Amino acid sequence: MNSEKMATMPVGELLLKLSIPLMVAMLIQALYNIVDSYFVSLINQDAFTAVTLAFPVQNLIIGLAVGTGVGTNALLSKSLGAKDHRQTEKVMFNALILVIIHSVLFVIFSRFATAPYLSAQTDNPIVRSYGEDYLGIVTGLALFVNLQIMMERLLQSTGRTTLTLITQGIGAVINIILDPILIFGYFGFPELGVAGAAVATVIGQGVASLLGLYLNHRYNHEVAFVVSKPDLETIKKIYEVGLPSVALISLSSVTIYFLNKILGHFTEAAVAVYGAYFRIQNFVFLPLFGLTNGLVPALAYNYGAKNRQRCYDLMRVAFKIGYLITLAGLVLFLVAPGSLIALFNPSEEMAAIGVVAFRWIALSFPLAAYNVVAEAVYQSFGNGMLGLVAALLRQIIVLLPAAYLLALSGRLDFVWASYVIAEVANTVFCYYYMKHFVHRTIEAQMV
């Protein structure tokens, strides 16, 4: 996307052109999470519950990898723009050092922390056994997903975003194909059960990471790998840029962990429902996140160019598209919650809980659209901390206490309403700063 188009292309067309490839990439990820969960649910509900309990740790692995990739991407883009080849090599080497360090940390988790982590959430020995099988593999072989995400960020740093669709797509297809084969033992393969889902996942990630290495070697000559030495200053700069992204994703891991504990006091079927919801809602929120990822560079460019009207137009169109995406999700969750929960082979108890839960949580979708776009606007204008505070308010300060207090009523259906309460509080916060930070920032820049 060249500078002229950023400044002149109709804002709706510009946003879609920037966002659609990102939406497609994210939907690929959502698809194979759904397929993975579907096949696990065919084993039994305990297996699906175990994978749900493992999800916060998987999310943390991805959050750390994405945040490190964001910091690496920013430093690489800066050094490439300055034609500082020595700094580019230094960033590359230290980024790969961090990939190894993070992977080793999760190997240690796999060895010593998997069992205590699961025991803190469930007393069911079958769920714990399934969870240990699954989580031990995905954490022990976290190197593959760490390397895959870093390779994709390196391609993005030089504008080769379409190549990341290749790595993600092939990794997802391999995972989807191998899931039933390894879980149920088709074509002469051993029947591995829940462990088979984990093996399929890491094989898909492994192939994607190797493909990413090849594509970087073949096309990304600007960031060629050169052996150097660890540089604490470079590592510090990577984390300075990447930590907000790590924090944002990690917040959701914390939220899921504690909500699982709250829901587990009612019934493990409620935990399974929450896991099912989290996978299906990706089809609503990942396109929304793709939209905001496209909005940020477009809005930042026109803000820097002091094009006030275009900034307002971009925000207006982004809010409209965001509302359309979430309204479609709202209708789907209200009209067909039974069909959605049926994707996960639910028990009668899980199906009944799921219908109520999906309808309650879906009421928060339109408010979430406003908040997610607003947080992207803050980032575009150089205040990512506001977005972090908004996420902290929604997920930790309001959602978890509301869920805990509502759980004291003894009514499980009340707990789901905590999502609506959290989004209402966050909307008040985001609306205030849209009025008092964003508009003042735009007007000050245009003087």
Side-chain angles (χ1 to χ4, degrees):
M1 181 65 60
N2 60 45
S3 298
E4 182 182 352
K5 290 181 179 179
M6 288 284 235
T8 61
M9 182 180 286
V11 292
E13 183 181 350
L14 174 64
L15 272 179
L16 292 176
K17 197 172 188 68
L18 288 169
S19 303
I20 286 176
L22 298 169
M23 291 181 183
V24 171
M26 291 179 173
L27 285 172
I28 288 172
Q29 297 298 310
L31 177 62
Y32 89 75
N33 283 335
I34 286 284
V35 174
D36 200 39
S37 302
Y38 167 75
F39 284 116
V40 169
S41 71
L42 294 180
I43 300 173
N44 54 51
Q45 186 174 295
D46 285 338
F48 184 70
T49 301
V51 173
T52 297
L53 295 179
F55 182 74
V57 177
Q58 286 184 281
N59 201 49
L60 186 61
I61 296 172
I62 292 171
L64 192 56
V66 168
T68 305
V70 167
T72 301
N73 195 338
L75 288 183
L76 276 178
S77 297
K78 182 179 179 181
S79 60
L80 288 169
K83 301 189 184 302
D84 187 343
H85 300 298
R86 183 177 179 183
Q87 179 64 15
T88 299
E89 294 170 357
K90 189 185 295 186
V91 173
M92 267 286 294
F93 179 78
N94 283 277
L96 293 177
I97 289 293
L98 291 177
V99 165
I100 294 171
I101 292 173
H102 297 160
S103 301
V104 170
L105 289 175
F106 283 107
V107 169
I108 294 172
F109 181 96
S110 172
R111 178 66 180 83
F112 299 104
T114 300
Y117 167 80
L118 291 163
S119 296
Q121 297 184 85
T122 179
D123 295 326
N124 187 327
I126 298 175
V127 172
R128 287 204 304 265
S129 177
Y130 281 140
E132 288 175 24
D133 289 344
Y134 184 86
L135 197 53
I137 293 170
V138 297
T139 53
L141 296 172
L143 173 64
F144 293 137
V145 67
N146 283 324
L147 187 59
Q148 176 190 350
I149 290 173
M150 182 58 70
M151 291 301 103
E152 289 168 356
R153 291 293 173 174
L154 295 181
L155 291 169
Q156 290 171 6
S157 70
T158 56
R160 296 175 171 89
T161 54
T162 54
L163 293 180
T164 65
L165 290 177
I166 297 175
T167 60
Q168 290 179 346
I170 290 178
V173 169
I174 289 173
N175 189 1
I176 290 169
I177 292 173
L178 289 181
D179 260 335
I181 294 174
L182 297 180
I183 291 172
F184 302 110
Y186 296 147
F187 308 117
F189 284 86
E191 182 179 344
L192 300 178
V194 172
V199 172
T201 295
V202 297
I203 289 176
Q205 293 165 346
V207 172
S209 65
L210 293 175
L211 182 58
L213 281 168
Y214 169 76
L215 292 174
N216 274 283
H217 175 72
R218 178 71 175 81
Y219 298 105
N220 231 9
H221 303 299
E222 301 96 320
V223 292
F225 176 77
V226 176
V227 176
S228 179
K229 62 179 181 179
D231 181 75
L232 293 179
E233 187 62 28
T234 300
I235 291 173
K236 179 183 175 183
K237 289 178 180 177
I238 290 174
Y239 281 135
E240 283 176 350
V241 177
L243 275 179
S245 294
V246 174
L248 281 170
I249 298 174
S250 298
L251 281 178
S252 64
S253 291
V254 173
T255 302
I256 296 166
Y257 174 81
F258 283 106
L259 273 176
N260 281 340
K261 288 180 71 67
I262 291 170
L263 295 170
H265 285 295
F266 288 93
T267 170
E268 286 183 351
V271 177
V273 165
Y274 188 49
Y277 161 74
F278 224 87
R279 285 158 176 81
I280 296 174
Q281 62 92 34
N282 280 335
F283 285 96
V284 178
F285 283 94
L286 290 184
L288 184 60
F289 294 145
L291 170 70
T292 57
N293 283 339
L295 173 66
V296 169
L299 193 54
Y301 179 91
N302 285 281
Y303 171 65
K306 298 187 176 182
N307 192 332
R308 173 171 49 190
Q309 188 56 49
R310 194 164 173 83
C311 285
Y312 284 124
D313 289 344
L314 280 165
M315 288 189 289
R316 175 177 50 79
V317 173
F319 279 120
K320 285 184 177 179
I321 297 174
Y323 288 138
L324 289 174
I325 292 171
T326 53
L327 283 173
L330 173 62
V331 171
L332 180 63
F333 273 70
L334 289 179
V335 172
S339 298
L340 295 176
I341 196 69
L343 295 172
F344 301 95
N345 191 35
S347 63
E348 288 186 12
E349 180 187 21
M350 181 179 168
I353 293 172
V355 169
V356 176
F358 284 15
R359 284 176 171 158
W360 260 114
I361 300 176
L363 296 176
S364 69
F365 287 179
L367 294 174
Y370 179 86
N371 299 332
V372 170
V373 174
E375 290 164 18
V377 171
Y378 305 151
Q379 183 181 353
S380 303
F381 294 151
N383 197 332
M385 187 56 65
L386 269 180
L388 181 58
V389 172
L392 184 66
L393 174 70
R394 177 176 65 250
Q395 298 189 49
I396 305 297
I397 298 174
V398 179
L399 178 61
L400 288 179
Y404 175 76
L405 291 173
L406 291 170
L408 295 179
S409 70
R411 293 280 301 275
L412 176 59
D413 51 333
F414 285 2
V415 177
W416 309 117
S418 60
Y419 263 88
V420 179
I421 295 170
E423 290 299 350
V424 169
N426 200 37
T427 299
V428 173
F429 176 91
C430 288
Y431 181 80
Y432 176 85
Y433 280 100
M434 283 295 294
K435 290 294 185 184
H436 295 274
F437 165 72
V438 171
H439 293 293
R440 277 207 308 262
T441 300
I442 293 176
E443 298 304 324
Q445 173 73 352
M446 306 311 166
V447 174

